[in-house]
């Protein structure tokens, strides 16, 4: 039987770091932190300019820190340095380059599935993936004339459209067999083997292809996109070209709202997860920290406080 962690924390920004570090301070063992970037704090590394001033009371909103992380006014570099040090001294089991694709519940245990198709099991889960996650884009340009026909999720596909899905992970395959039910659909993957998808998706993919609903173009990449009368014309590495009504890229980096929906969280009309005073979502024992809890705004200090109060509550429940 695979190991069951006490807490799986998704996202290694301030909310995730606080959840992990405060767990260790409370004496909770078997805690794992999963971060899709190469290191912790991708938002701070990527979106803050070098030497940027970092305010504790961000945008003038005074917040008293409740936990054990001594965060204060500083710079991008001093903030990253603080997080480096506390993660190292508390010896957190942090896995970088690990993007979480979904969280499902099997009985009382969460099954956290990564893009690399690993499954991590935990009694409690904390989602703190922030709002800055953007879907991965192709390396070649998307001409402006067709931008309104190129998507990074399947929400805008209607019926009877000619659709190209691009990608080889679980999301691409799920979109493909679902969309193929009501549309002329082709799945394009640059490889021939789908090594990263789960068994259910493997079977659904085979059924959809064998029934003739889903067309395929495997082992072939895309060279470029053009506009043909406002529709995307796709040029492939085998020299062929084809025009579609719409293209959906599912090549990693799911947008936060789609991720939350996939995890079955109830959201309000602005896409903010509905939580109770302990930051617990509509799914029992699944908590949310940080920027995800705000329509706009959010700050490092409030994310740190969320992490502290969440693991204090988890610690109480573990002791019952
Ligand atoms: C330009 C800018 C300046 C700012 N300046 C300040 C300031 O001076 N003071 C202040 O208090 N706040 C500031 N903020 C706000 C602050 O950065 C956020 O409030 C804070 O980072 C929120 O923390 P978080 O943990 O919720 O999310 P994030 O910091 O966004 O962290 C989320 C983490 O989750 C990871 N992740 C995302 N999806 C997945 C997935 N599927 N699987 C695994 N990992 C995933 C991301 O890579 C990221 O590392 C600023 C924000 C910006 C953009």
């Amino acid at each position: 039987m695979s190991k069951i962690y006490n807490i799986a924390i998704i996202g290694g920004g301030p909310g995730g770091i606080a959840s992990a570090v405060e767990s260790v301070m409370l004496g909770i063992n078997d805690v794992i932190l999963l971060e899709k970037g190469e290191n912790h704090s991708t938002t701070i590394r990527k979106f803050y300019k070098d030497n940027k001033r970092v305010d504790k009371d961000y945008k003038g909103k005074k917040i008293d820190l409740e936990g054990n992380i001594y965060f204060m006014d500083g710079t991008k570099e001093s903030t990253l340095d603080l997080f480096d040090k506390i993660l190292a001294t508390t010896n957190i089991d942090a896995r970088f380059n690990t993007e979480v694709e979904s969280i499902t519940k099997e009985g009382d245990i969460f099954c956290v599935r990564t893009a690399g198709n690993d499954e991590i099991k935990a009694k409690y889960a904390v989602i703190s993936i922030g709002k800055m996650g953007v879907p991965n884009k192709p390396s070649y340009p998307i001409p402006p004339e067709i931008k309104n026909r190129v998507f990074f999720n399947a929400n805008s596909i209607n019926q009877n459209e000619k659709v190209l899905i691009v990608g080889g992970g679980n999301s691409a395959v799920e979109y493909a067999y679902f969309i193929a039910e009501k549309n002329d659909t082709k799945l394009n993957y640059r490889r021939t083997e789908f090594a990263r998808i789960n068994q259910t998706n493997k079977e659904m993919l085979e059924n959809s292809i064998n029934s003739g609903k889903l067309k395929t173009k495997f082992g072939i990449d895309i060279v470029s996109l053009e506009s043909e009368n406002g529709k995307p014309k796709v040029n492939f590495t085998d020299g062929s070209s084809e025009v579609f009504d719409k293209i959906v890229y599912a090549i990693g980096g799911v947008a936060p709202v789609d991720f939350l929906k996939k995890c079955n969280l109830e959201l309000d009309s602005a896409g903010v997860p509905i939580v109770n005073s302990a930051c617990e979502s509509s799914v029992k024992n699944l908590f949310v920290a940080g920027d995800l809890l705000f329509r706009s705004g959010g700050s490092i200090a409030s994310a740190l406080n969320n992490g502290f109060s969440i693991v204090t509550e988890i610690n109480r429940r573990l002791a019952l």
Side-chain angles (χ1 to χ4, degrees):
M1 225 178 83
S2 63
K3 172 170 180 161
I4 298 179
Y5 287 87
N6 277 319
I7 315 178
I9 299 160
I10 296 81
I17 292 172
S19 304
V21 169
E22 301 288 1
S23 305
V24 173
M25 306 294 251
L26 288 166
I28 305 174
N29 50 19
D30 293 332
V31 175
I32 188 166
L33 175 70
L34 307 163
E35 160 61 44
K36 80 169 174 180
E38 285 172 5
N39 207 331
H40 63 86
S41 309
T42 306
T43 297
I44 295 177
R45 285 175 208 280
K46 215 161 128 185
F47 293 96
Y48 291 20
K49 292 198 192 103
D50 289 348
N51 295 317
K52 171 191 150 35
R53 201 184 82 198
V54 174
D55 301 318
K56 179 180 99 38
D57 296 328
Y58 188 43
K59 295 187 174 161
K61 211 167 143 203
K62 189 162 169 22
I63 295 182
D64 292 323
L65 291 170
E66 292 158 7
N68 294 291
I69 298 176
Y70 190 60
F71 165 64
M72 53 185 173
D73 290 343
T75 59
K76 167 182 176 176
E77 290 73 18
S78 68
T79 307
L80 290 174
D81 201 35
L82 168 74
F83 293 153
D84 277 342
K85 283 195 179 120
I86 51 168
L87 282 171
T89 51
T90 45
N91 217 0
I92 301 294
D93 183 358
R95 298 214 189 146
F96 300 124
N97 295 310
T98 304
E99 178 173 357
V100 172
E101 277 200 340
S102 67
I103 305 173
T104 48
K105 212 169 178 188
E106 291 165 7
D108 285 339
I109 300 296
F110 290 106
C111 179
V112 178
R113 200 173 75 197
T114 71
N117 224 14
D118 281 336
E119 283 188 348
I120 289 142
K121 297 203 187 304
K123 293 179 189 160
Y124 295 87
V126 181
I127 304 179
S128 190
I129 59 169
K131 290 185 139 177
M132 304 303 286
V134 278
N136 296 336
K137 307 254 160 79
S139 52
Y140 42 83
I142 301 170
E145 307 90 298
I146 57 165
K147 278 213 158 114
N148 61 347
R149 288 176 177 269
V150 175
F151 303 94
F152 298 90
N153 62 43
N155 300 346
S156 308
I157 307 300
N158 304 316
Q159 288 187 21
N160 304 319
E161 296 182 304
K162 187 173 175 193
V163 184
L164 179 71
I165 314 288
V166 184
N170 284 301
S171 296
V173 170
E174 282 165 21
Y175 287 161
Y177 63 68
F178 180 75
I179 290 172
E181 288 298 314
K182 294 190 173 158
N183 294 277
D184 175 4
T185 308
K186 188 170 271 187
L187 175 62
N188 169 227
Y189 184 35
R190 63 196 161 92
R191 299 183 204 275
T192 46
E193 294 293 321
F194 285 75
R196 287 161 35 221
I197 62 174
N198 61 39
Q199 192 53 33
T200 312
N201 281 338
K202 244 178 210 152
E203 285 162 18
M204 297 293 279
L205 178 64
E206 272 167 25
N207 289 345
S208 189
I209 294 170
N210 292 342
S211 67
K213 286 181 184 159
L214 180 64
K215 294 176 202 146
T216 60
K217 208 160 177 77
F218 297 156
I220 291 160
D221 213 343
I222 296 174
V223 185
S224 62
L225 298 182
E226 290 172 53
S227 165
E228 187 161 294
N229 303 319
K231 288 190 179 182
K233 181 178 170 195
V234 183
N235 301 317
F236 294 96
T237 43
D238 63 353
S240 66
S241 296
E242 199 169 343
V243 176
F244 295 88
D245 293 318
K246 289 176 179 171
I247 306 178
V248 179
Y249 285 94
I251 50 177
V254 182
V257 169
D258 293 320
F259 178 86
L260 297 173
K261 282 187 189 159
K262 231 174 161 183
C263 300
N264 293 319
L265 266 69
E266 266 181 48
L267 310 178
D268 71 12
S269 57
V272 177
I274 297 168
V275 292
N276 63 19
S277 57
C279 300
E280 185 178 22
S281 72
S282 54
V283 178
K284 190 167 183 264
N285 296 337
L286 179 52
F287 294 80
V288 183
D291 279 8
L292 286 175
L293 294 171
F294 295 86
R295 258 165 218 230
S296 61
S299 67
I300 294 173
S302 60
L304 295 178
N305 279 353
N306 292 150
F308 174 70
S309 61
I310 288 170
V311 294
T312 304
E313 174 60 19
I314 293 177
N315 192 41
R316 192 188 66 77
R317 293 187 192 184
L318 282 169
L320 289 177

